[in-house]
Amino acid sequence: MESFNELRERVARLSDVRAAAAVLSWDQETYMPSGAGEARAHQLATLQQLAHEMFTDDELAGLLDRAAAEVAGHDADSDEARIVKVLVRDRDKAVKLPSRLVADLARETALAQQAWAQARQANDFPAFLPHLETVMALTIEKAEALGYEDTPYDALLDEYEPDMRASEVRTVFAELRDELVPLVEAIADCPKPDDACLRAGFDENAQWRFGEAVIADFGFDFDRGRQDRSAHPFSTNFSTTDVRITTRVDHDFLPPALFGTLHEAGHAMYEQGVDPALDRTGLASGTSLGVHESQSRLWENMVGRSHAFWRHYYSKLQTDFSTQLAGVSLDDFHRAINRVEPSLIRVEADEVTYNLHVMIRFELELDLVEGRLAPADLPDAWNSKYEQALGLRPDSDANGVLQDIHWSFGLIGYFPTYSLGNLISAQLYDRADSDLGGIEAQVERGEFGPLRDWLREHVHRHGSKFSATELLQRITGGGLEAGPWLNYARTKFGQLYGL
Ligand code: ZN
């Protein structure tokens, strides 16, 4: 195991460089003074380049080959075999991209992000269009360089959801859409729950304390993590012993801080739950965006927006915010936090309509990448799809095609993972529910340990050892399915809206 051990040492140093870059990025979003932007960009670029050189180094290739021979006799699911397998996979991808293309993408997406921010502000799609055309062309070039069997989209999706194919996503999304559109229409015909109680003005420190108390109950480990403020909530990790989350607090609207905290804690508990033996191996992190999102949404929505959860916590919330909530019943509060309403903006969408926003983007990305749609025709295509799926036509491109930052970053193939997360969360929840003999009663008693430990055992501890498809196979014996989430949505929202 001489080569394997040397490989581990090299990868440990590589992981340290990547972690250092992640600390700088975290700091940039939280505490860095605004004047430090340019210096920080240099520091990050240097560390990222260093990491890229360490990973694509020729000596590492030879070492990987020799290590692969050494672990050939090991169990295919052992840490050793999987460390080599995942490193080979990721390195193959990294060396397939010519450095000229990597540099072009870095430069053009940096310009596109600035252009996007201005274009969105000014509601000026034509100003963003040339940048979008350039980024799309480079992204398609990237897909060609990475290679694919069926569609270039597969190569892009693989960056965020290894092993998943566009055809699989297309199939489950079609099933999801067939049921979702009528459900949204049926809900739209019902009287709207009043959510004024969520807009009564809430002390920011009290909101912060309540959220942190809940995630401490969930099992977020504050000795190995912390929460800070940022403009956009996120989670990041530097090791299994240092996982950071952020949230934003809105004095005039209760949900963002509370549910943002629960959401990011779901991501963070995944990272905190990885087997420490995988630290500094390149596998000590969540396996894909879809599986990551399954963890955040499970804790935020399936647990945090459930009636059982609020049977446990509502009296505490009422005590903390007695002037605002004293006259609001548990049922009315629960209806308010689960209000469903078709809207134009994805990030403000409720649990049910959210998936329709994602599907629209997935369909448009497929059309763009496969050459059926020109970027110039995007606004019309976008608006028609919103009208079809949600019954709303955007009043402006700022509230339409310009609303998301992703495409300016070159993140094509990323959006579907949000909905994959929803679907996977329900598949995992159902299995945990039958293994644990009823999660709802435990949640009502404020007992989150059994669910957290189940997730740790079946999902978290493996880090990146298994892809989403492999994890689902191990846990459920099958693949990705829309049925469990549809079942969950029909039951929950059927009861809430008396359908
Ligand atoms: Zn998330």
Side-chain angles (χ1 to χ4, degrees):
M1 293 293 279
E2 195 184 322
S3 296
F4 179 80
N5 291 333
E6 196 188 330
L7 175 70
R8 274 203 71 152
E9 223 157 90
R10 272 184 180 247
V11 173
R13 287 196 296 272
L14 171 61
S15 300
D16 293 343
V17 173
R18 286 177 176 161
V23 177
L24 291 186
S25 295
W26 169 83
D27 175 70
Q28 184 173 342
E29 302 298 323
T30 49
Y31 293 106
M32 188 187 81
S34 60
E38 200 180 327
R40 182 56 50 88
H42 286 304
Q43 293 154 359
L44 276 167
T46 298
L47 285 180
Q48 277 151 5
Q49 192 188 349
L50 182 61
H52 183 74
E53 284 167 10
M54 290 170 84
F55 196 41
T56 53
D57 181 283
D58 284 341
E59 271 183 52
L60 188 72
L63 203 50
L64 266 174
D65 284 343
R66 293 194 297 280
E70 284 176 357
V71 302
H74 285 62
D75 174 357
D77 290 346
S78 66
D79 285 359
E80 291 79 10
R82 287 281 165 167
I83 286 168
V84 173
K85 185 179 175 182
V86 171
L87 285 171
V88 167
R89 178 195 76 193
D90 291 347
R91 189 179 183 284
D92 280 352
K93 278 201 226 170
V95 295
K96 273 181 184 165
L97 297 180
S99 50
R100 192 266 317 150
L101 180 58
V102 174
D104 284 356
L105 268 167
R107 187 186 61 249
E108 294 302 330
T109 54
L111 294 171
Q113 284 158 48
Q114 293 167 29
W116 168 80
Q118 286 166 5
R120 184 190 187 196
Q121 186 94 39
N123 186 33
D124 185 359
F125 181 77
F128 178 53
L129 178 59
H131 294 278
L132 182 61
E133 286 171 334
T134 306
V135 170
M136 277 307 305
L138 289 170
T139 303
I140 291 169
E141 200 184 329
K142 178 175 139 186
E144 296 295 339
L146 289 169
Y148 54 86
E149 279 175 22
D150 188 14
T151 158
Y153 197 86
D154 284 340
L156 302 174
L157 180 62
D158 199 73
E159 296 275 285
Y160 315 108
E161 201 57 61
D163 283 0
M164 193 73 74
R165 296 288 168 264
S167 56
E168 284 172 78
V169 177
R170 210 194 299 248
T171 306
V172 281
F173 277 14
E175 188 188 341
L176 190 56
R177 188 193 180 97
D178 283 350
E179 297 235 15
L180 210 44
V181 172
L183 179 63
V184 170
E185 283 169 1
I187 292 173
D189 289 338
C190 297
K192 295 267 164 294
D194 182 3
D195 66 356
C197 64
L198 305 177
R199 301 173 189 276
F202 298 86
D203 178 75
E204 295 190 12
N205 291 325
Q207 289 191 54
W208 187 272
R209 281 194 302 272
F210 186 87
E212 286 205 336
V214 172
I215 64 172
D217 291 348
F218 280 177
F220 177 87
D221 182 352
F222 280 93
D223 291 331
R224 296 186 296 137
R226 53 176 289 128
Q227 175 167 259
D228 296 271
R229 286 189 182 220
S230 69
H232 303 283
F234 66 94
S235 71
T236 183
N237 58 300
F238 317 135
S239 69
T240 59
T241 52
D242 192 350
V243 182
R244 311 286 176 102
I245 61 175
T246 68
T247 198
R248 70 190 166 91
V249 188
D250 183 344
H251 175 267
D252 298 319
F253 194 40
L254 188 64
L258 173 57
F259 292 108
T261 297
L262 307 193
H263 181 98
E264 299 307 331
H267 283 301
M269 288 191 291
Y270 187 2
E271 299 293 345
Q272 289 183 334
V274 174
D275 182 351
L278 294 174
D279 256 327
R280 298 173 86 219
T281 64
L283 273 61
S285 200
T287 191
S288 73
L289 293 186
V291 177
H292 239 301
E293 205 62 12
S294 78
Q295 299 306 296
S296 54
R297 286 177 192 248
L298 189 151
W299 289 103
E300 177 197 351
N301 290 333
M302 304 192 77
V303 174
R305 291 182 203 264
S306 70
H307 200 272
F309 176 89
W310 288 105
R311 289 199 293 277
H312 183 73
Y313 281 110
Y314 191 56
S315 59
K316 174 173 162 44
L317 191 74
Q318 272 184 316
T319 308
D320 288 4
F321 300 106
S322 53
T323 46
Q324 298 92 331
L325 297 173
V328 180
S329 73
L330 166 63
D331 285 350
D332 284 344
F333 178 79
H334 183 242
R335 269 192 285 272
I337 59 168
N338 284 292
R339 183 178 153 121
V340 175
E341 193 170 22
S343 65
L344 291 172
I345 307 294
R346 176 184 60 86
V347 294
E348 293 166 9
D350 57 79
E351 214 181 330
V352 179
T353 59
Y354 190 90
N355 295 299
L356 293 171
H357 293 263
V358 171
M359 280 183 247
I360 288 170
R361 287 155 178 77
F362 172 65
E363 290 166 13
L364 291 169
E365 287 183 343
L366 272 175
D367 287 346
L368 285 164
V369 168
E370 295 178 355
R372 286 185 300 275
L373 177 67
D377 299 326
L378 252 179
D380 279 345
W382 179 287
N383 295 345
S384 304
K385 282 190 185 287
Y386 263 79
E387 200 153 17
Q388 253 174 30
L390 287 149
L392 298 168
R393 198 170 177 89
D395 49 354
S396 69
D397 288 335
N399 288 330
V401 69
L402 285 173
Q403 67 183 267
D404 298 306
I405 197 170
H406 300 59
W407 290 341
S408 71
F409 268 96
L411 299 176
I412 320 285
Y414 188 112
F415 280 119
T417 65
Y418 292 126
S419 284
L420 296 180
N422 283 333
L423 302 186
I424 295 169
S425 71
Q427 291 188 264
L428 296 176
Y429 189 96
D430 281 0
R431 175 51 58 141
D433 194 48
S434 74
D435 284 1
L436 298 173
I439 295 171
E440 192 183 328
Q442 294 167 359
V443 167
E444 180 169 1
R445 292 194 298 271
E447 293 168 10
F448 304 104
L451 176 58
R452 189 199 57 238
D453 290 345
W454 186 95
L455 291 167
R456 184 159 292 177
E457 169 66 19
H458 295 277
V459 180
H460 301 172
R461 70 184 173 96
H462 298 305
S464 305
K465 277 178 70 176
F466 306 108
S467 70
T469 307
E470 289 172 321
L471 274 180
L472 282 172
Q473 184 66 42
R474 289 171 67 98
I475 296 167
T476 69
L480 180 68
E481 281 181 49
W485 188 85
L486 280 167
N487 218 358
Y488 156 77
R490 271 192 306 261
T491 307
K492 174 174 173 178
F493 293 94
Q495 278 168 7
L496 274 164
Y497 281 89
L499 300 173

